[in-house]
Amino acid sequence: YRPSQCTYVTRFTAPTPAANQLFGSAVDVAFTAGLFVVGARGDLGTRGALYVHQCIDGFQCTQLGSLTASDGVTNDNFGYSVG
C-alpha cells in the first residue's frame, strides 16, 4: 500500500498457511520504516505468532522474521493485538 497514492501493491500471506491460523487478524504498519507486523493468533495451536515484513519503495516486500512467546502455551493467542 502506498499512502501517498492510495494504491495496492502487494499481498501478505502466511508463510505456512494452516486452518484457523487467523493470519492477518491484527496488523500494524510503520510507514516511515516500511514495516508491517501481522498477527496470527491461531498459529502454532493457538499459541500465536507475529510476522514482520519490510517493504522497500512500497514494492519489494520480504518477511524479516517471526516472533513467538518463548513460554507460549495453547490458547495464549499471541498476536491477537499488535501496535
Side-chain angles (χ1 to χ4, degrees), residues 44 47-49 66-73 76 78:
L44 306 170
R47 286 178 286 188
S66 63
L67 302 167
T68 58
S70 61
D71 60 349
V73 296
D76 271 355
F78 185 77

Side-chain angles (χ1 to χ4, degrees), residues 3 6 12 21 23 54 59 75:
C6 294
F12 296 111
Q21 186 176 32
F23 182 84
Q54 184 173 36
F59 290 103
N75 295 322

Side-chain angles (χ1 to χ4, degrees), residues 6-40:
C6 294
T7 58
Y8 171 85
V9 294
T10 193
R11 176 180 176 177
F12 296 111
T13 57
T16 53
N20 300 316
Q21 186 176 32
L22 302 172
F23 182 84
S25 58
V27 176
D28 192 26
V29 179
F31 283 114
T32 56
L35 295 175
F36 295 80
V37 178
V38 180

